[in-house]
């Protein structure tokens, strides 16, 4: 990992984050919009689901590396919290900033275009965050240690 390009690693980490965030974000936005919820309730659901799916996509492979569930969860929390938070702040901010996006129905291209655009902007903003974390040995740098079996039972999961 020391010889890897930090920007390339940051892009990969952000794509990983985007996958979980997008699943939760889209699901939350669709549910909230379909049920006619307020903007706040819809965003709260979308954010909660983005964190759940984001963490789950990290925990699963870390568990496969042999870590017990508690440590795998700690690794995911340390690795993903800032990345998911930035992504969610940006993509929901964009959704709120696009006139009519939160009120557009599920059949309206404005809804889907705004959501796709918001996730794209969030990706661009989050890459430098993940790069900075990786350069400090944090974020997905910790997860990569576990993907490659480099964890040591006596060391903290995410020091």
């Amino acid at each position: 990992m020391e010889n890897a390009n930090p920007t390339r690693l940051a892009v990969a980490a952000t794509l990983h984050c985007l996958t979980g965030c997008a699943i939760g974000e889209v699901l939350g936005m669709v549910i909230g919009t379909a049920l006619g919820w307020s903007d706040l309730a819809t965003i709260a659901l979308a954010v909660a689901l983005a964190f759940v799916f984001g963490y789950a996509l990290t925990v699963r492979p870390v568990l496969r590396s042999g870590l017990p569930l508690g440590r795998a969860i700690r690794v995911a929390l340390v690795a993903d919290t800032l990345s998911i938070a930035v992504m969610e702040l940006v993509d929901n901010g964009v959704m709120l900033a696009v006139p009519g996006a939160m009120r557009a129905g599920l059949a309206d291209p404005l809804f889907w275009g705004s959501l796709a655009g918001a996730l794209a902007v969030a990706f661009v903003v989050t890459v430098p965050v993940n790069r900075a974390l990786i350069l400090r040995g944090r974020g997905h740098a910790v997860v990569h240690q576990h993907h490659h079996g480099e964890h040591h039972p006596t060391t903290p999961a995410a020091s």
Side-chain angles (χ1 to χ4, degrees), residues 61-87:
V62 172
L63 282 172
R64 281 195 307 250
S65 78
L67 255 63
L69 180 60
R71 291 226 7 233
I73 289 171
R74 283 193 304 274
V75 167
L77 291 172
V78 168
D80 290 341
T81 299
L82 183 59
S83 181
I84 295 171
V86 169
M87 191 161 284

Side-chain angles (χ1 to χ4, degrees), residues 59-133:
V59 166
R60 188 170 177 229
V62 172
L63 282 172
R64 281 195 307 250
S65 78
L67 255 63
L69 180 60
R71 291 226 7 233
I73 289 171
R74 283 193 304 274
V75 167
L77 291 172
V78 168
D80 290 341
T81 299
L82 183 59
S83 181
I84 295 171
V86 169
M87 191 161 284
E88 286 303 297
L89 181 67
V90 172
D91 77 52
N92 285 292
V94 170
M95 284 297 289
L96 288 169
V98 174
M102 292 298 295
R103 292 290 113 213
L106 296 177
D108 191 332
L110 177 62
F111 174 82
W112 295 104
S114 298
L115 188 52
L119 289 167
V121 170
F123 174 82
V124 170
V125 171
T126 307
V127 167
V129 172
N130 281 324
R131 186 177 189 282
L133 289 170

Side-chain angles (χ1 to χ4, degrees), residues 21-31 46 111-112 115 119:
C21 286
I23 292 167
E25 184 73 21
V26 170
L27 188 57
M29 287 288 177
V30 167
I31 291 169
F111 174 82
W112 295 104
L115 188 52
L119 289 167

Side-chain angles (χ1 to χ4, degrees), residues 9-37:
L9 289 174
V11 168
T14 307
L15 283 172
H16 177 268
C17 179
L18 179 66
T19 302
C21 286
I23 292 167
E25 184 73 21
V26 170
L27 188 57
M29 287 288 177
V30 167
I31 291 169
T33 300
L35 296 176
W37 288 2

